[in-house]
Protein backbone atom coordinates (compact mmCIF):
# COMPACT_ATOMS: atom_id res chain seq x y z
CA UNK A 1 0.00 0.00 0.00
CA UNK A 2 0.83 3.67 -0.03
CA UNK A 3 -0.02 6.62 2.22
CA UNK A 4 0.08 9.93 0.36
CA UNK A 5 -0.07 12.09 3.49
CA UNK A 6 -0.14 11.44 7.21
CA UNK A 7 1.52 12.35 10.49
CA UNK A 8 3.88 10.79 13.01
CA UNK A 9 3.99 12.30 16.51
CA UNK A 10 2.11 15.27 14.97
CA UNK A 11 4.86 15.79 12.35
CA UNK A 12 3.75 15.46 8.71
CA UNK A 13 4.95 12.53 6.60
CA UNK A 14 4.22 11.85 2.94
CA UNK A 15 4.67 9.30 0.16
CA UNK A 16 4.89 6.37 2.59
CA UNK A 17 5.24 3.05 0.75
CA UNK A 18 4.55 -0.28 2.46
CA UNK A 19 5.33 -3.82 1.36
CA UNK A 20 4.96 -6.27 4.27
CA UNK A 21 3.83 -9.84 4.86
CA UNK A 22 2.81 -11.77 7.97
CA UNK A 23 3.02 -15.58 7.93
CA UNK A 24 3.42 -18.05 10.81
CA UNK A 25 3.96 -15.18 13.27
CA UNK A 26 6.86 -13.83 11.20
CA UNK A 27 6.57 -10.24 9.98
CA UNK A 28 8.64 -9.48 6.90
CA UNK A 29 9.16 -5.84 5.97
CA UNK A 30 10.29 -5.75 2.36
CA UNK A 31 9.83 -2.00 2.18
CA UNK A 32 8.76 0.75 4.53
CA UNK A 33 9.88 4.12 3.24
CA UNK A 34 8.66 7.69 3.23
CA UNK A 35 9.54 11.35 3.36
CA UNK A 36 9.41 13.80 6.24
CA UNK A 37 10.16 17.50 5.86
CA UNK A 38 13.21 17.69 3.64
CA UNK A 39 14.38 14.20 4.60
CA UNK A 40 13.45 10.54 4.32
CA UNK A 41 13.22 7.32 6.36
CA UNK A 42 13.16 3.59 5.64
CA UNK A 43 13.12 0.20 7.34
CA UNK A 44 13.64 -3.38 6.16
CA UNK A 45 13.94 -6.72 7.92
CA UNK A 46 12.08 -9.52 9.70
CA UNK A 47 10.49 -9.93 13.12
CA UNK A 48 9.76 -13.47 14.34
CA UNK A 49 7.37 -13.02 17.30
CA UNK A 50 8.55 -16.37 18.68
CA UNK A 51 12.22 -15.92 17.75
CA UNK A 52 14.69 -13.42 16.43
CA UNK A 53 14.41 -9.88 15.12
CA UNK A 54 16.59 -8.49 12.33
CA UNK A 55 15.54 -4.99 11.33
CA UNK A 56 17.53 -2.05 9.93
CA UNK A 57 16.20 1.50 10.19
CA UNK A 58 17.64 4.62 8.56
CA UNK A 59 16.61 8.24 8.62
CA UNK A 60 18.12 11.28 6.90
CA UNK A 61 17.39 14.89 7.86
CA UNK A 62 14.09 14.17 9.60
CA UNK A 63 12.61 16.23 12.46
CA UNK A 64 14.34 15.68 15.80
CA UNK A 65 11.05 16.47 17.53
CA UNK A 66 9.57 13.15 16.40
CA UNK A 67 11.92 11.27 18.72
CA UNK A 68 11.64 13.68 21.64
CA UNK A 69 7.84 13.43 21.47
CA UNK A 70 8.04 9.65 21.70
CA UNK A 71 10.45 10.09 24.63
CA UNK A 72 7.81 12.11 26.47
CA UNK A 73 9.34 15.57 26.00
CA UNK A 74 6.47 18.02 25.67
CA UNK A 75 8.52 21.08 24.75
CA UNK A 76 8.88 21.95 21.09
CA UNK A 77 12.27 20.75 19.83
CA UNK A 78 13.79 22.07 16.62
CA UNK A 79 16.49 20.60 14.39
CA UNK A 80 16.97 17.61 12.13
CA UNK A 81 18.54 14.21 12.75
CA UNK A 82 20.12 11.49 10.63
CA UNK A 83 20.44 8.01 12.09
CA UNK A 84 21.05 4.33 11.55
CA UNK A 85 19.67 1.67 13.86
CA UNK A 86 19.81 -2.13 13.96
CA UNK A 87 17.35 -4.16 16.03
CA UNK A 88 18.34 -7.75 16.70
CA UNK A 89 18.26 -10.42 19.38
CA UNK A 90 15.09 -12.08 20.62
CA UNK A 91 11.95 -10.20 19.64
CA UNK A 92 10.61 -10.43 23.20
CA UNK A 93 13.95 -9.10 24.53
CA UNK A 94 15.45 -7.11 21.65
CA UNK A 95 18.94 -5.69 21.30
CA UNK A 96 19.56 -2.42 19.48
CA UNK A 97 22.47 -0.39 18.13
CA UNK A 98 21.97 3.29 17.33
CA UNK A 99 24.10 6.01 15.77
CA UNK A 100 22.76 9.52 15.21
CA UNK A 101 23.76 13.03 14.23
CA UNK A 102 21.54 16.05 14.86
CA UNK A 103 22.01 19.59 13.58
CA UNK A 104 20.68 23.04 14.46
CA UNK A 105 18.61 21.75 17.34
CA UNK A 106 17.20 23.49 20.35
CA UNK A 107 14.48 23.88 22.92
CA UNK A 108 13.45 26.32 25.65
CA UNK A 109 14.89 29.18 23.60
CA UNK A 110 18.41 27.70 23.51
CA UNK A 111 20.14 26.07 20.55
CA UNK A 112 23.01 23.75 19.71
CA UNK A 113 24.78 23.34 16.40
CA UNK A 114 25.70 19.65 16.42
CA UNK A 115 24.83 16.58 18.46
CA UNK A 116 26.34 13.15 17.89
CA UNK A 117 25.58 9.98 19.76
CA UNK A 118 26.16 6.25 19.80
CA UNK A 119 24.22 3.89 22.06
CA UNK A 120 23.42 0.21 22.52
CA UNK A 121 20.56 -1.62 24.22
CA UNK A 122 21.64 -4.88 25.81
CA UNK A 123 19.27 -6.67 28.15
CA UNK A 124 17.55 -3.92 30.12
CA UNK A 125 20.42 -1.41 30.01
CA UNK A 126 21.18 1.38 27.52
CA UNK A 127 24.94 1.76 27.11
CA UNK A 128 25.67 5.31 26.04
CA UNK A 129 29.07 5.04 24.40
CA UNK A 130 29.22 8.76 23.65
CA UNK A 131 26.89 11.73 23.43
CA UNK A 132 28.43 15.07 22.44
CA UNK A 133 26.69 18.44 22.12
CA UNK A 134 28.52 21.28 20.32
CA UNK A 135 27.72 24.98 20.14
CA UNK A 136 29.77 27.52 18.17
CA UNK A 137 30.23 30.97 19.73
CA UNK A 138 32.26 33.55 17.77
CA UNK A 139 33.77 30.72 15.72
CA UNK A 140 34.87 28.74 18.80
CA UNK A 141 33.42 25.27 19.42
CA UNK A 142 32.17 24.54 22.94
CA UNK A 143 31.27 20.94 23.74
CA UNK A 144 29.69 18.94 26.55
CA UNK A 145 29.80 15.15 26.46
CA UNK A 146 28.43 12.21 28.41
CA UNK A 147 28.96 8.46 28.56
CA UNK A 148 27.83 5.62 30.81
CA UNK A 149 24.82 3.39 31.40
CA UNK A 150 21.08 4.06 31.72
CA UNK A 151 19.02 1.09 32.97
CA UNK A 152 15.46 1.11 31.62
CA UNK A 153 14.26 0.63 35.20
CA UNK A 154 15.74 4.03 36.10
CA UNK A 155 13.54 5.72 33.48
CA UNK A 156 10.24 4.38 34.85
CA UNK A 157 10.80 4.22 38.63
CA UNK A 158 8.68 6.52 40.80
CA UNK A 159 10.37 9.31 42.76
CA UNK A 160 9.80 7.58 46.11
CA UNK A 161 10.78 4.15 44.83
CA UNK A 162 14.05 2.55 45.92
CA UNK A 163 16.08 0.77 43.23
CA UNK A 164 19.23 -1.32 43.39
CA UNK A 165 22.62 0.07 42.39
CA UNK A 166 22.41 -1.99 39.20
CA UNK A 167 19.22 -0.16 38.18
CA UNK A 168 20.62 3.33 38.78
CA UNK A 169 21.84 5.72 36.11
CA UNK A 170 25.62 5.89 35.91
CA UNK A 171 26.64 8.76 33.61
CA UNK A 172 29.82 10.82 33.49
CA UNK A 173 29.33 14.35 32.09
CA UNK A 174 32.45 16.15 30.88
CA UNK A 175 32.29 19.96 30.89
CA UNK A 176 35.95 20.98 30.44
CA UNK A 177 35.26 22.51 27.04
CA UNK A 178 31.63 23.53 27.42
CA UNK A 179 29.73 26.79 27.81
CA UNK A 180 26.83 27.66 30.11
CA UNK A 181 24.79 28.71 27.07
CA UNK A 182 24.02 24.98 26.65
CA UNK A 183 22.11 24.92 29.97
CA UNK A 184 18.68 26.04 28.67
CA UNK A 185 18.72 23.07 26.31
CA UNK A 186 18.61 20.76 29.34
CA UNK A 187 16.59 22.78 31.86
CA UNK A 188 13.42 24.79 31.30
CA UNK A 189 14.12 26.67 34.55
CA UNK A 190 17.10 28.49 32.95
CA UNK A 191 16.19 31.49 30.78
CA UNK A 192 19.73 32.14 29.51
CA UNK A 193 23.35 31.59 30.54
CA UNK A 194 26.89 32.30 29.34
CA UNK A 195 30.46 31.56 30.39
CA UNK A 196 33.01 28.83 29.73
CA UNK A 197 32.96 25.88 32.12
CA UNK A 198 35.49 23.48 33.60
CA UNK A 199 34.84 20.28 35.50
CA UNK A 200 32.93 17.02 35.37
CA UNK A 201 29.78 15.62 36.97
CA UNK A 202 28.49 12.15 37.88
CA UNK A 203 24.78 11.51 37.43
CA UNK A 204 23.22 8.67 39.46
CA UNK A 205 19.79 7.70 40.78
CA UNK A 206 16.71 7.63 38.57
CA UNK A 207 15.06 10.02 36.13
CA UNK A 208 12.47 10.97 38.76
CA UNK A 209 15.04 11.25 41.59
CA UNK A 210 18.48 12.06 40.14
CA UNK A 211 21.65 12.57 42.18
CA UNK A 212 24.45 14.78 40.90
CA UNK A 213 28.02 14.84 42.23
CA UNK A 214 31.16 16.57 40.98
CA UNK A 215 32.67 19.98 40.48
CA UNK A 216 32.03 22.85 38.11
CA UNK A 217 33.92 26.12 37.72
CA UNK A 218 32.92 29.17 35.69
CA UNK A 219 34.92 32.38 35.37
CA UNK A 220 33.06 35.64 34.65
CA UNK A 221 29.86 33.81 33.80
CA UNK A 222 26.19 34.72 34.16
CA UNK A 223 23.05 32.69 34.74
CA UNK A 224 19.40 33.81 34.59
CA UNK A 225 16.76 31.64 36.25
CA UNK A 226 13.21 32.25 35.05
CA UNK A 227 11.90 32.52 38.61
CA UNK A 228 14.45 35.19 39.63
CA UNK A 229 14.27 38.82 38.50
CA UNK A 230 18.04 39.40 38.29
CA UNK A 231 20.72 37.10 36.87
CA UNK A 232 23.57 35.56 38.85
CA UNK A 233 26.87 37.08 37.65
CA UNK A 234 30.64 36.59 38.06
Amino acid sequence: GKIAEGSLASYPVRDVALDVTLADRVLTVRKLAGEQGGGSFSAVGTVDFDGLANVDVTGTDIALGIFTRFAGVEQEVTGTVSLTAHIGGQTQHPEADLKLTAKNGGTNGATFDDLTGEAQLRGSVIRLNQLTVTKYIDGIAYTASAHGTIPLRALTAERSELVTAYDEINLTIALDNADLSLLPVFSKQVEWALGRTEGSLKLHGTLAAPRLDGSLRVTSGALKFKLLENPLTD
Side-chain angles (χ1 to χ4, degrees):
K2 187 173 183 179
I3 304 171
E5 293 183 354
S7 64
L8 182 63
S10 76
Y11 286 82
V13 295
R14 63 186 185 280
D15 297 331
V16 180
L18 293 166
D19 183 1
V20 300
T21 60
L22 176 64
D24 297 325
R25 291 179 55 79
V26 177
L27 178 68
T28 301
V29 181
R30 296 190 182 93
K31 183 177 183 179
L32 191 166
E35 298 181 6
Q36 195 287 313
S40 61
F41 58 89
S42 66
V44 294
T46 58
V47 177
D48 184 340
F49 295 111
D50 299 313
L52 299 175
N54 183 20
V55 178
D56 289 295
V57 180
T58 61
T60 304
D61 295 330
I62 58 180
L64 179 59
I66 291 177
F67 301 94
T68 57
R69 286 277 175 85
F70 278 119
V73 178
E74 296 181 0
Q75 293 90 350
E76 192 71 25
V77 176
T78 60
T80 60
V81 62
S82 298
L83 61 88
T84 60
H86 176 76
I87 302 171
Q90 296 289 328
T91 299
Q92 301 300 323
H93 303 283
E95 299 178 349
D97 297 88
L98 171 68
K99 291 183 180 180
L100 64 84
T101 301
K103 294 184 178 297
N104 303 319
T107 187
N108 297 322
T111 62
F112 62 83
D113 293 296
D114 297 297
L115 181 149
T116 59
E118 183 176 333
Q120 299 172 321
L121 174 64
R122 294 293 185 270
S124 60
V125 178
I126 299 172
R127 302 188 183 278
L128 186 63
N129 297 329
Q130 191 71 20
L131 178 69
T132 302
V133 181
T134 303
K135 183 179 180 69
Y136 293 92
I137 302 175
D138 295 330
I140 301 175
Y142 293 93
T143 61
S145 63
H147 68 274
T149 56
I150 308 172
L152 298 180
R153 186 75 186 86
L155 301 179
T156 59
E158 299 291 336
R159 181 176 179 82
S160 59
E161 192 173 348
L162 296 177
V163 299
T164 64
Y166 176 82
D167 287 328
E168 287 195 357
I169 297 170
N170 184 15
L171 286 182
T172 299
I173 304 170
L175 300 168
D176 275 339
N177 192 32
D179 189 272
L180 283 183
S181 60
L182 290 168
L183 270 182
V185 176
F186 303 103
S187 174
K188 61 183 178 181
Q189 306 301 329
V190 178
E191 186 172 332
W192 56 263
L194 58 89
R196 183 168 180 171
T197 66
E198 297 177 5
S200 64
L201 304 172
K202 294 281 188 179
L203 179 61
H204 299 288
T206 65
L207 185 63
R211 300 196 315 275
L212 202 59
D213 301 295
S215 62
L216 175 65
R217 181 170 61 193
V218 183
T219 304
S220 301
L223 176 65
K224 173 65 170 66
F225 288 103
K226 290 184 178 179
L227 298 179
L228 299 180
E229 181 177 355
N230 298 316
L232 305 175
T233 60
D234 298 308

